[in-house]
Amino acid sequence: MTVPAQTFAMGDAFGDGVRPDGETPVHPVRISSFAIDSTAVTVADFRSFVADSGYRTEAEAFGWSAVFHSALSEGAEIVGSMAGTPWWLGVSGADWAHPGGPSSTALDDHPVVHVSWNDAQAYCTWAGRRLPTEAEWECAARAGHASRRYPWGDELPSPEWPCNIWQGTFPTDNTADDGWVTTAPARSYAPNDYGLYQPIGNVWEWCADWFSPTYYSMSPVDNPPGPSLGAARVIRGGSYLCHDSYCNRYRNAARSSNTPDSSTGNTGFRTASL
């Protein structure tokens, strides 16, 4: 999908974010025209990359990846849990092809997960693409609409859920009112006005930028590239695990981060180009 050149107001205009995420101040950004995938990269896409290149993901090299407790496959071997978030488990043999553990099978039309930022970069190199900058990602998610909380407007309608997020009591009871417990197919729900499917919900998406909570106060107006250095890379859009009681990050302005070698069962990516 082609996103036209434009100036837009980037950041949280509603006061929804938390200070460590650095969603403010709202600031003008001028973006040159660019192309971005209509969906997150799918399992089928990634399978083609692996078959052609022989690439081995970091989860495969490490021998494990992070799986949400309710997504474990039968017989999965737990090798640890995440400090402060015990619902995240280190699972031996969890990877892009086996999202819940060795006995599980990834579905071709779903977004690929258990890919690190480094893995996403390797895919982009193979495909002749690149990761979008954080500013490009937010511009594409907003689809020409100023200051919207979500791609479709300011309210989250139910029971006709417009995205794949958590319903129920996090982290123990997911009622799956939106139809999905974990990932949904990449072309689920209505696209935004630029034709992007699920820029929020379903899976977090890696962006090109290093993460800094103070970057918005100093970023350039024209095509901001993100900080020159950092310890973590930006992720955008939230995931099927987001709930307003815990992770209210299924919004256009919401941002978070993870280290470039990290992989989880709710993080994927989409690609861009000039």
Side-chain angles (χ1 to χ4, degrees), residues 3 8 24 32-33 48 54 67 92 116 122 140 144 149 185 200 220 244 252 254:
V3 177
F8 76 102
T24 57
S32 302
S33 178
S48 296
V67 177
S92 179
S116 69
R149 179 179 274 122
I200 70 167
D244 60 8
N252 289 328

Side-chain angles (χ1 to χ4, degrees), residues 201-229:
N202 212 23
V203 296
W204 284 103
E205 298 180 8
W206 289 111
C207 292
D209 311 34
W210 289 110
F211 174 82
S212 168
T214 60
Y215 184 65
Y216 284 10
S217 64
M218 62 186 77
S219 64
V221 171
D222 291 315
N223 297 309
S228 57
L229 296 171

Side-chain angles (χ1 to χ4, degrees), residues 138-196:
E138 185 170 325
C139 181
R142 291 189 178 279
H145 298 284
S147 301
R148 280 186 174 180
R149 179 179 274 122
Y150 308 113
W152 56 83
D154 294 338
E155 303 300 324
L156 185 65
S158 64
E160 298 300 322
W161 296 93
C163 60
N164 181 17
I165 56 175
W166 184 284
Q167 293 89 42
T169 304
F170 187 88
T172 56
D173 177 30
N174 186 352
T175 61
D177 291 346
D178 58 18
W180 304 96
V181 174
T182 60
T183 58
R187 288 187 180 272
S188 301
Y189 308 97
N192 74 4
D193 287 345
Y194 282 167
L196 274 68

Side-chain angles (χ1 to χ4, degrees), residues 243-264:
H243 186 268
D244 60 8
S245 69
Y246 169 67
C247 177
N248 181 23
R249 293 184 177 92
Y250 46 93
R251 297 173 286 104
N252 289 328
R255 60 199 302 254
S256 192
S257 64
N258 210 342
T259 54
D261 61 352
S262 293
S263 65
T264 68

Side-chain angles (χ1 to χ4, degrees), residues 66-69 80-90 170-171 246:
V67 177
F68 190 71
H69 71 95
S81 61
M82 308 299 137
T85 55
W87 45 85
W88 279 110
L89 304 172
F170 187 88
Y246 169 67

